[in-house]
Amino acid sequence: MSESLSKEQELESDLVACQLVIKQILDVIDVIAPTEVRDKMSHQLKSIDFSTHPAGADPVTRRAIEKAISLIELKFTKHDS
């Protein structure tokens, strides 16, 4: 890593790295977790009350939670249907 990156490039790099790790985790969960566990993961995120939870005040965090729910459901719906 001899190349110096700007702060924005470093942030983009961090996001891509996180996405790759998340994909690997989802792949592992897909193999080892029963449907009930995957449903519970999604339900726990859906049960966050944004009107009282601090995450509701931050649109970036709120959107991240929505994306997490979508990723979990999309990833596992394709295989379980």
Side-chain angles (χ1 to χ4, degrees):
M1 294 202 149
S2 59
E3 187 177 332
S4 182
L5 300 176
S6 69
K7 285 185 179 187
E8 185 174 311
Q9 289 172 318
E10 195 63 48
L11 179 60
E12 288 175 17
S13 174
D14 291 349
L15 288 172
V16 171
C18 288
Q19 289 172 331
L20 292 170
V21 170
I22 289 167
K23 181 179 180 336
Q24 293 299 309
I25 292 168
L26 287 172
D27 288 346
V28 169
I29 291 170
D30 192 28
V31 171
I32 65 172
T35 302
E36 298 80 29
V37 172
R38 300 185 306 239
D39 289 343
K40 184 175 181 179
M41 291 168 55
S42 176
H43 178 72
Q44 285 176 331
L45 291 173
K46 285 181 180 178
S47 69
I48 295 172
D49 181 2
F50 288 111
S51 65
T52 59
H53 196 279
D58 178 22
V60 173
T61 302
R62 186 175 184 147
R63 181 67 180 130
I65 292 168
E66 292 169 352
K67 284 183 175 185
I69 293 167
S70 296
L71 281 171
I72 291 168
E73 291 181 344
L74 176 67
K75 173 71 179 173
F76 301 122
T77 301
K78 290 191 289 185
H79 297 302
D80 292 342
S81 299

